[in-house]
Amino acid sequence: SIKRKIDVIDIKESNKKPINNNDNNNNEDEDDSYEIKIQQGTGRITSSGTTIHGHYTTFMDELTSGDAIIISHPTTLQEETKIVTMVLSNTSIGISTAFSTDLISTTSFKYIKAPKDKKAEEIKSKEDEENKKKTLERDAFGTYASDGGQNFVYRVKKEGSYGGYKIVTEKIDGQLSREELLDKRTKKKSDRFCY
């Protein structure tokens, strides 16, 4: 049998931006190169269709959707590569298509990480940052959030023998600062002790 060993393959994509000879700054043209590294997976696997079952595996730490998994099939003695579609747990993943035959005995595996999309990562990090700010704002002001000073939120005592409080929201024509909204709330009888 022919045994292949591939440790590292360098792949370079040509930069498809046209080169402007009038531009003196050639540092803008970046070399879009990345390195594909085949890594040995932890543990061993069996398969049933497009589901891979791990034995002493750490899929959550090693794999993500889009990565490739490589096995040397024990029955056909062929190397097979499949794309990971989902990582369910440390012992279960889904792949794009089934192997030529199910792996009934535990088999070692290798994997290749998918190249990272820098633009998508930047967009996602910006969205995460914005969501974090919104969550922080919402959590910081809780019930009395004012939608950026456009609403006046306060509480009033309910009528009746049991008492209790009711939250009231009034729309404000202009936009008030948080300090001005707090000053208005302190003038309400039930909110006068807020700080």
Side-chain angles (χ1 to χ4, degrees):
S1 79
I2 299 173
K3 185 176 181 182
R4 288 191 309 169
K5 183 175 180 180
I6 302 173
D7 290 328
V8 177
I9 302 171
D10 287 328
I11 295 178
K12 297 207 180 220
E13 291 183 351
S14 63
N15 195 349
K16 294 180 180 162
K17 293 180 190 175
I19 297 174
N20 186 355
N21 291 332
N22 296 332
D23 189 8
N24 293 333
N25 188 3
N26 290 332
N27 293 337
E28 289 180 341
D29 293 330
E30 295 179 6
D31 188 16
D32 292 336
S33 64
Y34 55 91
E35 187 176 282
I36 295 179
K37 186 176 181 183
I38 299 174
Q39 301 176 28
Q40 183 64 43
T42 304
R44 298 177 70 80
I45 60 171
T46 57
S47 73
S48 177
T50 58
T51 304
I52 303 293
H53 304 284
H55 304 274
Y56 305 106
T57 52
T58 55
F59 292 147
M60 299 287 278
D61 296 331
E62 294 178 339
L63 301 173
T64 56
S65 181
D67 292 348
I69 188 167
I70 305 166
I71 63 149
S72 178
H73 203 289
T75 307
T76 62
L77 303 177
Q78 296 291 318
E79 191 174 86
E80 295 185 31
T81 304
K82 302 296 176 184
I83 303 298
V84 176
T85 55
M86 62 185 143
V87 180
L88 301 171
S89 70
N90 270 335
T91 58
S92 183
I93 60 172
I95 55 174
S96 55
T97 56
F99 291 115
S100 55
T101 58
D102 286 342
L103 301 173
I104 53 174
S105 61
T106 60
T107 306
S108 62
F109 69 99
K110 296 178 183 176
Y111 64 94
I112 301 172
K113 299 297 285 177
K116 294 181 180 178
D117 185 2
K118 290 180 183 177
K119 285 185 180 181
E121 284 181 3
E122 287 175 11
I123 292 169
K124 186 175 182 337
S125 70
K126 285 180 184 178
E127 288 175 356
D128 289 346
E129 191 66 34
E130 288 175 14
N131 289 337
K132 188 177 179 182
K133 279 184 181 178
K134 287 177 184 177
T135 302
L136 183 62
E137 175 87 7
R138 186 184 68 238
D139 291 347
F141 297 101
T143 306
Y144 298 102
S146 65
D147 293 331
Q150 296 176 356
N151 293 329
F152 175 42
V153 183
Y154 61 95
R155 65 182 191 160
V156 294
K157 191 163 178 87
K158 288 183 180 178
E159 301 283 330
S161 59
Y162 294 110
Y165 292 94
K166 168 173 103 170
I167 304 295
V168 178
T169 303
E170 293 179 9
K171 192 82 169 159
I172 298 175
D173 291 334
Q175 188 168 356
L176 299 177
S177 69
R178 294 235 178 254
E179 184 178 354
E180 292 168 327
L181 288 169
L182 186 59
D183 288 342
K184 286 183 81 129
R185 275 188 46 216
T186 57
K187 293 175 183 163
K188 298 293 180 182
K189 184 176 180 184
S190 57
D191 274 347
R192 80 175 92 172
F193 299 110
C194 63
Y195 355 100

